[in-house]
Coordinates of all heavy atoms in Angstrom, one line a residue:
R1 N 3.1 5.9 7.0 CA 2.4 6.8 6.3 C 3.1 8.0 5.8 O 3.1 8.4 4.6 CB 1.1 7.3 7.2 CG 0.1 8.1 6.5 CD -1.1 8.5 7.4 NE -1.8 7.2 7.8 CZ -1.8 6.7 9.0 NH1 -1.1 7.3 10.0 NH2 -2.5 5.6 9.2
F2 N 4.0 8.5 6.7 CA 4.8 9.6 6.4 C 5.9 9.3 5.4 O 6.2 10.1 4.4 CB 5.5 10.2 7.7 CG 4.6 10.7 8.7 CD1 4.9 10.8 10.1 CD2 3.3 11.0 8.4 CE1 4.1 11.2 10.9 CE2 2.3 11.5 9.3 CZ 2.7 11.6 10.7
V3 N 6.5 8.1 5.5 CA 7.5 7.7 4.6 C 6.9 7.6 3.1 O 7.6 7.9 2.1 CB 8.1 6.3 5.0 CG1 8.9 5.7 3.8 CG2 9.0 6.5 6.2
I4 N 5.7 7.1 3.0 CA 5.1 7.0 1.8 C 4.9 8.3 1.1 O 5.1 8.5 -0.1 CB 3.7 6.2 1.8 CG1 3.9 4.7 2.1 CG2 2.9 6.4 0.5 CD1 2.7 3.9 2.5
R5 N 4.5 9.3 1.9 CA 4.4 10.7 1.4 C 5.6 11.2 1.0 O 5.7 11.8 -0.1 CB 3.8 11.6 2.6 CG 2.2 11.4 2.7 CD 1.8 12.5 3.7 NE 0.4 12.5 3.8 CZ -0.4 13.4 3.1 NH1 0.1 14.1 2.1 NH2 -1.8 13.3 3.2
W6 N 6.8 11.0 1.8 CA 8.0 11.5 1.4 C 8.5 10.8 0.0 O 9.0 11.5 -0.9 CB 9.1 11.2 2.4 CG 9.0 12.1 3.7 CD1 8.8 11.7 4.9 CD2 9.3 13.5 3.7 NE1 8.9 12.8 5.7 CE2 9.3 13.9 5.0 CE3 9.6 14.4 2.7 CZ2 9.5 15.2 5.4 CZ3 9.9 15.7 3.1 CH2 9.8 16.1 4.5
A7 N 8.3 9.6 -0.1 CA 8.6 8.8 -1.3 C 8.0 9.4 -2.5 O 8.6 9.6 -3.6 CB 8.3 7.3 -1.2
R8 N 6.6 9.7 -2.4 CA 6.0 10.2 -3.6 C 6.4 11.6 -3.8 O 6.5 12.1 -4.9 CB 4.5 10.1 -3.3 CG 3.8 8.7 -3.4 CD 2.3 8.7 -2.9 NE 1.8 7.4 -3.2 CZ 0.8 6.9 -2.6 NH1 0.2 7.5 -1.6 NH2 0.2 5.7 -3.0
A9 N 6.7 12.4 -2.7 CA 7.0 13.8 -3.0 C 8.4 13.9 -3.7 O 8.6 14.7 -4.5 CB 7.0 14.6 -1.6
L10 N 9.3 13.1 -3.3 CA 10.7 13.3 -3.9 C 10.9 12.5 -5.1 O 11.9 12.8 -5.8 CB 11.8 13.0 -2.8 CG 11.9 11.6 -2.2 CD1 12.8 10.7 -3.0 CD2 12.4 11.8 -0.7
T11 N 10.0 11.6 -5.4 CA 10.2 10.9 -6.8 C 9.2 11.4 -7.8 O 9.4 11.1 -9.0 CB 9.9 9.4 -6.6 OG1 8.6 9.1 -6.2 CG2 10.9 8.7 -5.6
G12 N 8.2 12.1 -7.3 CA 7.1 12.5 -8.2 C 6.2 11.4 -8.9 O 5.5 11.6 -9.8
R13 N 6.3 10.2 -8.2 CA 5.6 9.1 -8.6 C 4.4 8.8 -7.6 O 4.5 9.1 -6.5 CB 6.5 7.8 -8.7 CG 7.6 7.9 -9.7 CD 8.5 6.8 -9.5 NE 9.6 6.8 -10.5 CZ 10.6 5.8 -10.6 NH1 10.5 4.7 -9.8 NH2 11.5 5.9 -11.5
T14 N 3.3 8.3 -8.1 CA 2.1 8.1 -7.3 C 2.0 6.6 -6.7 O 1.5 6.4 -5.6 CB 0.9 8.2 -8.1 OG1 0.8 7.4 -9.1 CG2 0.8 9.7 -8.4
Q15 N 2.6 5.6 -7.4 CA 2.5 4.2 -7.1 C 3.4 3.8 -5.9 O 4.6 4.3 -5.8 CB 2.7 3.3 -8.2 CG 1.9 3.6 -9.4 CD 0.5 3.0 -9.2 OE1 0.3 1.9 -8.8 NE2 -0.5 3.8 -9.6
I16 N 2.8 2.9 -5.0 CA 3.7 2.1 -4.1 C 3.6 0.7 -4.3 O 2.6 0.3 -4.9 CB 3.4 2.6 -2.7 CG1 2.1 2.0 -2.2 CG2 3.5 4.0 -2.4 CD1 1.9 2.0 -0.7
L17 N 4.5 -0.1 -3.8 CA 4.4 -1.6 -3.9 C 4.7 -2.2 -2.6 O 5.4 -1.8 -1.8 CB 5.7 -2.0 -4.9 CG 5.7 -3.5 -5.1 CD1 4.5 -4.1 -5.9 CD2 7.0 -3.7 -5.9
V18 N 3.7 -3.2 -2.3 CA 3.8 -3.9 -1.1 C 3.6 -5.4 -1.5 O 3.4 -5.8 -2.6 CB 2.6 -3.6 -0.2 CG1 2.8 -2.1 0.3 CG2 1.3 -3.8 -0.7
F19 N 3.9 -6.2 -0.4 CA 3.8 -7.7 -0.6 C 2.4 -8.2 -0.1 O 1.8 -7.7 0.9 CB 4.9 -8.5 0.1 CG 6.2 -8.2 -0.5 CD1 7.2 -7.5 0.1 CD2 6.6 -8.7 -1.8 CE1 8.5 -7.4 -0.6 CE2 7.7 -8.5 -2.4 CZ 8.7 -7.8 -1.7
N20 N 1.9 -9.1 -0.8 CA 0.5 -9.7 -0.4 C 0.6 -10.3 1.0 O 1.5 -11.0 1.3 CB 0.3 -10.9 -1.4 CG -1.1 -11.5 -1.1 OD1 -2.1 -10.7 -0.9 ND2 -1.3 -12.7 -1.2
G21 N -0.4 -9.9 1.8 CA -0.5 -10.3 3.2 C 0.4 -9.4 4.1 O 0.6 -9.8 5.3
C22 N 0.9 -8.3 3.7 CA 1.8 -7.5 4.5 C 1.0 -6.8 5.6 O -0.2 -6.8 5.6 CB 2.5 -6.3 3.6 SG 1.3 -5.1 3.1
Y23 N 1.8 -6.4 6.6 CA 1.2 -5.5 7.6 C 2.1 -4.3 7.9 O 3.3 -4.4 8.3 CB 1.0 -6.3 8.9 CG 0.4 -5.5 10.1 CD1 -1.1 -5.1 9.9 CD2 1.0 -5.1 11.1 CE1 -1.6 -4.4 10.9 CE2 0.5 -4.3 12.1 CZ -0.9 -3.9 12.0 OH -1.5 -3.2 12.9
H24 N 1.6 -3.1 7.8 CA 2.4 -1.9 8.1 C 1.5 -1.0 9.0 O 1.5 0.3 8.8 CB 2.9 -1.2 6.9 CG 3.7 -2.1 6.1 ND1 5.0 -2.5 6.4 CD2 3.6 -2.8 4.9 CE1 5.6 -3.2 5.5 NE2 4.7 -3.4 4.6
G25 N 0.7 -1.5 9.9 CA -0.1 -0.8 10.7 C -1.4 -0.4 10.0 O -2.0 -1.1 9.2
T26 N -2.0 0.8 10.2 CA -3.3 1.2 9.8 C -3.1 2.2 8.6 O -4.1 3.0 8.3 CB -4.1 1.9 10.8 OG1 -3.3 3.1 11.3 CG2 -4.3 1.0 12.0
V27 N -2.1 2.0 7.8 CA -1.9 2.8 6.5 C -2.8 2.4 5.5 O -2.7 1.3 5.0 CB -0.5 2.8 6.1 CG1 -0.1 3.7 4.9 CG2 0.5 3.1 7.3
D28 N -3.7 3.2 5.0 CA -4.8 2.8 4.0 C -4.1 2.3 2.9 O -4.5 1.2 2.2 CB -5.6 4.0 3.7 CG -6.7 4.4 4.7 OD1 -6.6 3.7 5.8 OD2 -7.4 5.3 4.5
D29 N -3.0 2.8 2.4 CA -2.4 2.5 1.1 C -2.0 1.0 1.0 O -1.8 0.5 -0.1 CB -1.2 3.3 0.9 CG -1.4 4.8 0.9 OD1 -1.7 5.3 1.9 OD2 -1.5 5.4 -0.2
V30 N -1.7 0.4 2.2 CA -1.1 -1.0 2.1 C -2.1 -2.1 2.1 O -1.7 -3.2 2.0 CB -0.1 -1.2 3.2 CG1 0.9 0.0 3.3 CG2 -0.8 -1.2 4.6
F31 N -3.4 -1.8 2.3 CA -4.4 -3.0 2.4 C -4.9 -3.4 1.1 O -6.0 -3.4 0.7 CB -5.6 -2.4 3.2 CG -5.3 -2.3 4.7 CD1 -4.9 -1.1 5.3 CD2 -5.3 -3.5 5.5 CE1 -4.6 -1.0 6.6 CE2 -5.0 -3.3 6.9 CZ -4.7 -2.1 7.4
V32 N -3.9 -3.9 0.3 CA -4.2 -4.5 -1.1 C -3.8 -5.9 -1.0 O -2.6 -6.2 -0.9 CB -3.5 -3.7 -2.2 CG1 -3.8 -4.3 -3.5 CG2 -4.1 -2.3 -2.2
D33 N -4.7 -6.8 -1.2 CA -4.3 -8.2 -1.3 C -4.4 -8.8 -2.8 O -5.0 -8.1 -3.6 CB -5.4 -9.0 -0.5 CG -5.3 -8.7 1.0 OD1 -4.2 -8.5 1.5 OD2 -6.4 -8.9 1.6
L34 N -3.8 -9.9 -3.0 CA -4.0 -10.6 -4.2 C -5.0 -11.7 -4.1 O -4.9 -12.6 -3.2 CB -2.7 -11.2 -4.7 CG -1.6 -10.3 -5.2 CD1 -0.2 -11.0 -5.4 CD2 -2.0 -9.5 -6.4
V35 N -6.0 -11.7 -4.9 CA -7.2 -12.5 -5.0 C -7.2 -13.2 -6.3 O -7.4 -12.5 -7.3 CB -8.4 -12.0 -4.6 CG1 -9.6 -13.0 -4.6 CG2 -8.4 -11.3 -3.2
H36 N -6.8 -14.5 -6.3 CA -6.7 -15.2 -7.6 C -5.7 -14.4 -8.6 O -6.0 -14.2 -9.8 CB -8.0 -15.4 -8.4 CG -9.0 -16.1 -7.4 ND1 -8.7 -17.4 -7.0 CD2 -10.2 -15.7 -7.1 CE1 -9.9 -17.8 -6.2 NE2 -10.7 -16.8 -6.2
G37 N -4.6 -13.8 -8.0 CA -3.6 -13.2 -8.7 C -4.0 -11.8 -9.1 O -3.2 -11.1 -9.7
Q38 N -5.2 -11.2 -8.7 CA -5.5 -9.8 -9.0 C -5.6 -9.0 -7.8 O -6.0 -9.5 -6.7 CB -6.9 -9.8 -9.7 CG -7.0 -10.6 -11.0 CD -6.0 -10.0 -12.0 OE1 -5.9 -8.7 -12.3 NE2 -5.2 -10.9 -12.6
P39 N -5.1 -7.7 -7.9 CA -5.1 -6.8 -6.6 C -6.6 -6.5 -6.3 O -7.4 -6.1 -7.1 CB -4.4 -5.6 -7.1 CG -4.4 -5.6 -8.7 CD -4.6 -7.0 -9.0
R40 N -6.8 -6.4 -4.9 CA -8.2 -6.1 -4.5 C -8.0 -5.5 -3.0 O -7.3 -6.0 -2.2 CB -9.1 -7.3 -4.4 CG -10.6 -7.0 -4.1 CD -11.4 -8.2 -4.2 NE -11.4 -9.0 -3.0 CZ -12.1 -10.2 -3.0 NH1 -12.7 -10.6 -4.1 NH2 -12.0 -10.9 -1.9
T41 N -8.8 -4.5 -2.8 CA -8.7 -3.8 -1.5 C -9.2 -4.8 -0.5 O -10.2 -5.6 -0.7 CB -9.7 -2.6 -1.4 OG1 -9.2 -1.6 -2.4 CG2 -9.7 -2.0 0.0
R42 N -8.5 -5.0 0.6 CA -8.8 -6.0 1.7 C -10.2 -6.0 2.1 O -10.7 -4.8 2.5 CB -7.8 -5.9 2.8 CG -7.8 -7.1 3.8 CD -6.7 -7.1 4.7 NE -5.4 -7.1 3.9 CZ -4.2 -7.1 4.6 NH1 -4.1 -6.8 5.9 NH2 -3.2 -7.2 3.9
D43 N -11.0 -7.0 2.1 CA -12.3 -7.0 2.5 C -12.6 -6.4 3.8 O -13.7 -5.9 4.1 CB -12.9 -8.5 2.4 CG -13.0 -9.0 1.0 OD1 -13.0 -8.1 0.1 OD2 -13.0 -10.3 0.8
S44 N -11.7 -6.6 4.8 CA -11.9 -6.2 6.2 C -11.7 -4.7 6.5 O -11.9 -4.3 7.6 CB -10.9 -7.1 7.1 OG -9.6 -6.8 6.7

């Protein structure tokens, strides 16, 4: 969570990129799955 904040702060960019099915703990930002090729907040 902190690394994502630092990255946004020092690049001035808002977007982050993760891999489908990833796990990085309970960081809200990473719970995005690909469903039929489209990004969607994880149902769970």
Side-chain angles (χ1 to χ4, degrees):
R1 189 176 293 113
F2 300 157
V3 165
I4 289 171
R5 279 186 175 270
W6 282 118
R8 286 171 168 158
L10 61 91
T11 63
R13 301 175 179 183
T14 60
Q15 299 287 312
I16 68 164
L17 179 63
V18 297
F19 290 113
N20 184 41
C22 70
Y23 182 72
H24 300 289
T26 58
V27 183
D28 285 2
D29 302 73
V30 305
F31 287 94
V32 175
D33 294 330
L34 289 179
V35 180
H36 305 301
Q38 298 300 313
R40 190 171 81 186
T41 300
R42 190 168 298 175
D43 292 338
S44 60

